[in-house]
Amino acid sequence: MYPAVRDIKAALRWVHANAAQYGGDPTSSLTIQGGSAGATACIALALAGGDDQTFADDYTNELAGLDTTLNTTNLDQKATVTGLIDFWGGLFAEDAMYTKDDVLRWTNTSAPTIAFHGTEDTTVAPKSGNVLCGNLTALGVPCEKVVLPGEAHGCWGATVELPDGTEETIYQYAFDWMASTSGWAVL
């Protein structure tokens, strides 16, 4: 898990360093998404959310002087995000960091999050979404857990039933929720 989180963090620093060149704005709409282990790694970063001070060294500083490639990863840039789409991810990376230093990563600057969990998932306990959203909403951070009845782990083809009885793909539902929550102007 550690190398994945470190690599995602390096990619985020690259995005922050190069966003303007591509017409992007990482301060208003940089949402990350992952499934399973990818979501677990993304959760570790999204919890630190917009806090580029307290957690700036997470997954980086411990390799200072040991990893010669680290200096090429835009270390002077932020590694922050403004949203997280979590497809059946666990809290393992956050738990590992807390075990390492007794510092909770849950803050009021954590990124707005939408978490999808199938009721038949035997790989990642569906209740992990309850913990994730419970902790975030207690801090005032928007979070929605979407329960996918009868779905197991990795249910990429799942749909969400809307109040009017129609269905929407998990991807469209996630996008719509994130756009609404973040105030995106969708063209």
Side-chain angles (χ1 to χ4, degrees):
M1 185 56 57
Y2 174 84
V5 177
R6 197 181 107 213
D7 289 349
I8 294 168
K9 197 163 183 178
L12 286 170
R13 290 193 302 268
W14 185 92
V15 169
H16 279 274
N18 295 283
Q21 180 179 336
Y22 295 97
D25 178 8
T27 62
S28 65
S29 60
L30 182 55
T31 296
I32 56 177
Q33 158 185 311
S36 193
T40 299
C42 288
I43 289 168
L45 298 177
L47 287 180
D51 189 333
D52 60 336
Q53 302 295 318
T54 309
F55 305 113
D57 291 337
D58 279 2
Y59 302 98
T60 302
N61 192 46
E62 56 272 14
L63 291 181
L66 301 174
D67 183 347
T68 58
T69 67
L70 206 52
N71 292 332
T72 66
T73 64
N74 301 293
L75 289 173
D76 60 328
Q77 297 293 316
K78 296 178 180 182
T80 58
V81 299
T82 56
L84 167 67
I85 300 170
D86 159 22
F87 293 116
W88 38 90
L91 302 172
F92 317 120
E94 192 281 332
D95 291 343
M97 289 301 285
Y98 179 71
T99 299
K100 174 184 164 272
D101 61 15
D102 288 329
V103 177
L104 290 172
R105 270 43 182 195
W106 309 94
T107 73
N108 62 356
T109 63
S110 294
T113 299
I114 186 166
F116 294 83
H117 289 275
T119 59
E120 302 303 315
D121 190 341
T122 59
T123 304
V124 174
K127 289 184 179 181
S128 65
N130 298 349
V131 174
L132 178 64
C133 285
N135 285 340
L136 291 175
T137 56
L139 293 166
V141 177
C143 189
E144 179 179 337
K145 178 188 174 189
V146 179
V147 176
L148 302 170
E151 296 288 351
H153 193 75
C155 52
W156 296 106
T159 58
V160 178
E161 185 173 339
L162 302 177
D164 66 4
T166 61
E167 292 185 345
E168 196 169 64
T169 68
I170 56 177
Y171 314 105
Q172 187 63 52
Y173 190 88
F175 178 85
D176 292 346
W177 185 89
M178 196 59 66
S180 174
T181 300
S182 301
W184 295 346
V186 179
L187 305 174

